[in-house]
Amino acid sequence: MAGRSRLSIAKADIIQALDDSGQRIFRHSDLAQIMATHAGDWRLAQSTTVNAFIDYLVKNAGMKRWRAAFPQRPVIRYVWQGAQLLELVQSIDPLGYLSHYSALAIHQLTEQLPKTIYFNFEQVATGGDGQLSQVSIDRAFRSKCRVSNNIAEIEDRRICQLRGKNTGNLGVATIESPHGDNLRVTNIERTLIDATVRPNYSGGVFEVARCFREAASQISVNRLCAYLRQLNYTYPYHQAIGFYMEEAGVYRKTQIDLLKQFEIKFDFYLTHAMREKHFVKAWRLYVPSGF
């Protein structure tokens, strides 16, 4: 009881300390540090625990508890004076970044309002991806693409955590949110590559095609090609990108020719598990009927 009464007496000072911290999103450890720093000044009872301190803030000082119930590891954050959902997602891991459909929306390449937020954590770098054959390509793209099940439902939105290829954060930029927080997001060229690699995380192949069309006036095809070389994918995604650009009808021939400089050795697929498809000879690419 003594600890709780001292919290009440120190309430104004506690609020001032939270304001002065410059943070709006706190981890448990952040609040523990603030309490440890000021406990003497606030004359808190030694029996006052960090959990009691946090409970007091939530019940009496306007702090909000935010929980994302991911199946692998739930995330809890404490919000002071409001935060946007994307800012909360970024707080999950400062090294993660928004990607795929989320990045397409941030760059205003889609008119859709995606219900799922895609947040990517890069895997630890591994060795080479092995040799490629037509048989292995056909087998892989005959089946459905694997998808992440590490998803948390937040009201009418979903947050999907991805474990992407290690790229050294290639093409990841930092932008400022409306509240002044930093958000990490793939730039346009990297986003279009990611959307080509995983159209199921990007609204599907027809939506990806529309995004390529919208991006034509903003994209650097030279940069995109440089990224492709650095990423060094096993699969020939350059064939799919070249097709998207040609299909858009708004890219210059010189831009499309940059994709034709990559070697085309195999027949490839625009997406997995296509039921009805046709073959685009120029790119040696199977695409869904409808293109």
Side-chain angles (χ1 to χ4, degrees):
M1 181 63 69
R4 187 171 295 277
S5 63
R6 285 304 314 171
L7 287 169
S8 298
I9 294 169
K11 180 177 178 180
D13 292 332
I14 293 171
I15 290 174
Q16 188 62 54
L18 293 171
D19 288 342
D20 291 345
S21 72
Q23 289 181 245
R24 290 178 302 104
I25 302 172
F26 297 86
R27 298 169 181 256
H28 187 281
S29 58
D30 297 328
L31 294 173
Q33 182 60 51
I34 289 174
M35 177 180 159
T37 299
H38 296 283
D41 295 335
W42 296 338
R43 300 176 63 189
L44 300 185
Q46 291 185 352
S47 60
T48 305
T49 64
V50 175
N51 286 341
F53 176 61
I54 292 173
D55 285 344
Y56 178 82
L57 295 177
V58 170
K59 294 176 181 177
N60 301 281
M63 182 77 78
K64 303 295 183 184
R65 182 183 280 110
W66 181 79
R67 186 174 190 272
F70 293 104
Q72 295 182 13
R73 181 183 295 175
V75 172
I76 296 176
R77 295 290 180 266
Y78 300 94
V79 184
W80 184 245
Q81 297 182 345
Q84 292 187 331
L85 182 55
L86 290 183
E87 295 165 345
L88 286 161
V89 171
Q90 182 67 69
S91 78
I92 294 171
D93 192 316
L95 298 180
Y97 52 85
L98 297 157
S99 65
H100 297 84
Y101 218 173
S102 299
L104 291 171
I106 288 170
H107 293 305
Q108 299 183 339
L109 297 180
T110 176
E111 295 179 353
Q112 303 301 314
L113 298 174
K115 292 292 187 181
T116 300
I117 296 170
Y118 294 96
F119 193 61
N120 193 17
F121 305 84
E122 295 196 352
Q123 300 179 56
V124 176
T126 58
D129 293 325
Q131 297 298 311
L132 193 62
S133 70
Q134 190 63 60
V135 171
S136 65
I137 294 173
D138 293 342
R139 184 188 306 117
F141 282 82
R142 189 180 303 124
S143 305
K144 290 184 178 180
C145 182
R146 289 180 296 176
V147 296
S148 172
N149 293 317
N150 196 16
I151 295 172
E153 304 277 350
I154 306 292
E155 296 179 353
D156 64 338
R157 305 290 293 278
R158 305 165 81 226
I159 304 169
C160 179
Q161 293 191 38
L162 307 177
R163 295 288 293 174
K165 172 186 174 74
N166 187 285
T167 73
N169 294 309
L170 182 67
V172 176
T174 299
I175 63 174
E176 189 174 289
S177 75
H179 284 156
D181 284 10
N182 288 333
L183 299 176
R184 285 162 50 82
V185 60
T186 51
N187 65 16
I188 289 178
E189 292 80 11
R190 170 66 193 278
T191 300
L192 291 174
I193 292 172
D194 287 349
T196 301
V197 174
R198 286 289 182 268
N200 53 314
Y201 293 149
S202 310
V205 292
F206 292 99
E207 180 68 4
V208 174
R210 283 191 287 270
C211 291
F212 266 91
R213 191 178 307 119
E214 289 296 319
S217 63
Q218 306 174 58
I219 187 176
S220 166
V221 180
N222 281 310
R223 183 182 298 122
L224 184 149
C225 290
Y227 284 175
L228 278 175
R229 291 188 176 91
Q230 288 177 259
L231 291 165
N232 192 29
Y233 284 112
T234 299
Y235 291 125
Y237 291 111
H238 58 275
Q239 292 168 227
I241 290 172
F243 167 77
Y244 279 131
M245 289 172 58
E246 198 162 67
E247 179 71 14
V250 290
Y251 289 88
R252 299 188 304 274
K253 181 180 182 300
T254 53
Q255 292 177 306
I256 295 171
D257 286 345
L258 291 173
L259 275 300
K260 292 182 177 178
Q261 291 178 8
F262 289 82
E263 188 175 26
I264 298 181
K265 293 175 57 179
F266 300 99
D267 296 342
F268 192 50
Y269 297 79
L270 195 64
T271 189
H272 288 73
M274 289 181 285
R275 293 185 178 181
E276 297 183 7
K277 57 184 182 292
H278 68 271
F279 189 68
V280 179
K281 186 175 180 181
W283 295 102
R284 291 185 65 176
L285 186 72
Y286 289 101
V287 305
S289 298
F291 273 107

